[in-house]
Amino acid sequence: MSRFRLFLVLFLTQICLWASPLHAQRNALVFQTDFGVKDGAVAAMKGVAFGVSDQIPLFDLTHEIPPYDIWQAAYRLQQTIAYWPAGTVFVSVVDPGVGSDRKSVVAKTKSGHFIVSPDNGTLTLIAHSIGIDSLRQIDERLNRLPGSSESYTFHGRDVYAYTGARLAAGVIEFYQIGPVLPPRVVELPYQPAAREGQTIQGNIPVLDIQYGNIWTNIPQSMLKDAGIRYGDRIRIRVLNQGKIVYSGEMIYGTSFSSVPKGKPVAYLNSLLNLAFGINMGNFSEKHKVAA
């Protein structure tokens, strides 16, 4: 009998140990900012997260968003988020209105991801593509780095990184973020793609920056509906404020190798949207085409 009792005590102790917060699941925490990495801002945010829990997996989406460019922040989230598992927490800080009356929020997407961000347009494309399941305003009385109440210009560190880390670490649950808001977010105006016959019109939301390729918001489905197939030649015109800045024909190929080096090619980018560039060249620089 005494041996049985000893085994039972040890077994229950083991169950309690593995059910304790020390073994709670940590979700990944992914940072995006326009801070760059020339100073200590990003490191400070990660330090705050590490102080919440040294078990949180920390990753970077990018810190090279052009300063104040909320649109690019919105696009890079849309480009990336679907490839992370549900439960991942994104902290996106492109916040030219820091310290103003813009809301600080956490959005739970319909895919089960969380985005901690100012409600300033950063959530525009996520709202349209994935959808927002629910939205909460951050209650800074509960979710703010202790001792930071006199700081008004670094909410990325004091509010967003701290709240995101607490959510990723399981210290708080989504309902503890703050009051519920209607699942409607501030949206930036943009031109969706449209087709009329064999003419498709869209815009250039971003560049494939490293290589100077031109990314559009024209989806593969519109190309198929217009009867465009690989190997066809298509005419592309790019206008800036009504002025044509580029006009030319190119092959619609599967990859850059569909054309000789130095020749233009249209293709589907990694998001299955129409893009075009130059094999082993920089289309943006050569033709002065930008997002």
Side-chain angles (χ1 to χ4, degrees):
M1 181 64 71
S2 60
R3 290 180 181 176
F4 176 80
R5 286 175 178 170
L6 178 60
F7 171 77
L8 183 61
V9 169
L10 289 175
F11 180 70
L12 291 175
T13 302
Q14 186 74 358
I15 291 176
C16 292
L17 176 62
W18 283 100
S20 71
L22 290 175
H23 292 276
Q25 180 179 352
R26 269 69 173 178
N27 290 310
L29 186 61
V30 183
F31 292 100
Q32 170 177 269
T33 74
D34 60 350
F35 297 164
V37 291
K38 297 182 179 69
D39 63 12
V42 172
M45 291 174 64
K46 290 185 176 181
V48 167
F50 194 78
V52 170
S53 170
D54 61 5
Q55 300 301 308
I56 303 174
L58 303 179
F59 300 93
D60 298 305
L61 195 164
T62 181
H63 298 291
E64 301 302 326
I65 299 291
Y68 321 121
D69 194 336
I70 298 169
W71 173 260
Q72 285 219 30
Y75 193 91
R76 298 308 176 190
L77 280 175
Q78 182 192 39
Q79 178 185 357
T80 307
I81 195 170
Y83 299 98
W84 288 81
T88 300
V89 179
F90 290 81
V91 172
S92 182
V93 190
V94 178
D95 192 15
V98 63
S100 70
D101 60 358
R102 59 90 184 96
K103 291 182 175 67
S104 297
V105 300
V106 180
K108 181 180 180 181
T109 70
K110 291 183 178 179
S111 58
H113 300 87
F114 298 92
I115 306 172
V116 187
S117 171
D119 184 17
N120 61 1
T122 296
L123 299 170
T124 297
L125 295 175
I126 292 297
H128 282 265
S129 60
I130 297 176
I132 293 175
D133 177 75
S134 50
L135 190 70
R136 288 182 178 269
Q137 185 170 358
I138 297 174
D139 185 345
E140 295 185 21
R141 297 171 300 175
L142 304 174
N143 295 300
R144 186 182 177 112
L145 180 68
S148 69
S149 61
E150 295 300 313
S151 172
Y152 299 100
T153 60
F154 200 174
H155 286 177
R157 175 195 64 195
D158 302 333
V159 179
Y160 302 147
Y162 183 69
T163 300
R166 281 159 59 83
L167 185 60
V171 175
I172 58 173
E173 295 185 39
F174 182 60
Y175 76 88
Q176 295 172 293
I177 295 294
V180 175
L181 297 172
R184 298 186 300 272
V185 295
V186 173
E187 293 191 11
L188 302 174
Y190 71 98
Q191 174 194 348
R195 182 176 73 87
E196 184 174 346
Q198 288 190 301
T199 299
I200 304 173
Q201 183 171 311
N203 70 4
I204 302 170
V206 294
L207 299 180
D208 183 4
I209 299 172
Q210 182 72 8
Y211 303 104
N213 301 318
I214 310 302
W215 281 19
T216 80
N217 66 340
I218 296 172
Q220 180 187 31
S221 59
M222 283 192 179
L223 300 176
K224 287 184 175 181
D225 290 345
I228 299 172
R229 299 293 182 261
Y230 290 127
D232 289 349
R233 296 190 66 84
I234 60 177
R235 173 168 291 280
I236 290 177
R237 292 194 305 166
V238 181
L239 291 81
N240 182 19
Q241 298 181 348
K243 179 182 177 181
I244 297 176
V245 295
Y246 173 81
S247 179
E249 286 190 359
M250 59 187 74
I251 290 290
Y252 174 48
T254 57
S255 67
F256 300 99
S257 61
S258 298
V259 298
K261 180 179 177 180
K263 296 296 183 180
V265 61
Y267 64 98
L268 293 177
N269 67 12
S270 58
L271 301 180
L272 299 183
N273 290 329
L274 178 68
F276 49 97
I278 296 173
N279 186 11
M280 299 291 287
N282 189 309
F283 195 102
S284 175
E285 286 185 358
K286 180 175 181 179
H287 297 290
K288 304 298 185 289
V289 174

